[in-house]
Amino acid sequence: MASNLPQGKEYQVRHSGQAIVCGSAPCLLSEFAEAKANMPDAKVFVVNESSYGIWGDFLVSYHVEKFDEFKSKSVNPHIVTMTGKGYRSPEEEAQIDYRFDNIKIGATSVGDAIQIAKQMGFTEIVIVGAPMNGGDGYYNDTSMESDGCPRFGSKEYIDTLESLKVGLNQRALIEIAKTLPEVKSMSGFSAEVFGKPTWSK
C-alpha cells in the first residue's frame, strides 16, 4: 500500500464497509453508543486515550512515543497500532505495527485516522468524540501534553499562544475533507466540515 516504509510496516489487507473513528472529547461515549447502534458491524479506530474507554480494532496516533502507554491501558490489549508520523527513532519504531507515509498532517491524530481508514478501503467513515472546536476537553479528564505544550482539546490550549494553531488545525481539516466525501462527523466543527451521518440526532 505504501512505498517508502520500513520493511514489514506496510498494511496489506484491503477492507470495505463501515468504520468509526473515535476522538477523546467529552461527547465520546454517548456518540460512540449512537454510532455503534447504527453501525453494528463497523470496525473501530481509537485515537490516543479513547483506547482506554472504547474497544478498538486499530489504535492510531501521531504521538508515537506514547504507543506503549496507550496500548497498555487499552480495552483491547492486542490492538494494532498505526501512524502517519514519519520515522523518528528505533525506540518509536518498535512501538508501531503499521505506517502510512502519504498522510496530510496538521489536523491532529483524528485527521490521520480518517485518512488511514480511507486508504484501508473503508467506504463509510464516521467520526465520534471529535468536535475539533479546540479546547473541547477530554472524556477522561486527561492532562497529557505533547512536548510540553497543551493539546488541541485541552482547555489551556485556547488560553495560550497555542490557540493560533486552532485555526491551522481547522484549515487542515477543511483541506482533508475535500478528498474524503465518505467521512461524516457527529458534532462540532468537524460536523460542519464533513456533514453529519443521516441517522445522527
Side-chain angles (χ1 to χ4, degrees), residues 10-52:
E10 305 91 347
Y11 191 79
Q12 302 289 349
V13 179
R14 188 68 179 172
H15 295 265
S16 62
Q18 300 174 321
I20 300 171
V21 172
C22 301
S24 299
C27 55
L28 168 63
L29 299 179
S30 61
E31 289 186 359
F32 178 76
E34 183 181 351
K36 195 64 174 171
N38 286 278
M39 306 167 68
D41 298 321
K43 293 292 186 181
V44 178
F45 291 75
V46 287
V47 173
N48 301 338
E49 296 101 321
S50 64
S51 64
Y52 304 171

Side-chain angles (χ1 to χ4, degrees), residues 22 28 34 48 51 53 73 103 107 123 156 158 173 186 201:
C22 301
L28 168 63
E34 183 181 351
N48 301 338
S51 64
K73 297 179 181 179
I103 299 299
T123 53
E156 295 83 0
I158 58 174
L173 200 69
M186 290 185 65
K201 296 176 182 176

Side-chain angles (χ1 to χ4, degrees), residues 40-105:
D41 298 321
K43 293 292 186 181
V44 178
F45 291 75
V46 287
V47 173
N48 301 338
E49 296 101 321
S50 64
S51 64
Y52 304 171
I54 301 292
W55 195 101
D57 299 285
F58 308 103
L59 169 60
V60 178
S61 182
Y62 193 73
H63 304 289
V64 179
E65 73 284 355
K66 290 194 171 283
F67 265 148
D68 275 352
E69 177 182 340
F70 294 152
K71 192 167 183 177
S72 69
K73 297 179 181 179
S74 173
V75 178
N76 175 8
H78 306 293
I79 197 165
V80 174
T81 56
M82 300 176 159
T83 191
K85 182 182 181 183
Y87 175 83
R88 295 297 177 91
S89 71
E91 291 77 19
E92 290 186 0
E93 191 63 32
Q95 299 188 50
I96 300 162
D97 293 318
Y98 299 102
R99 286 188 175 281
F100 293 76
D101 66 352
N102 53 353
I103 299 299
K104 180 180 176 62
I105 62 172

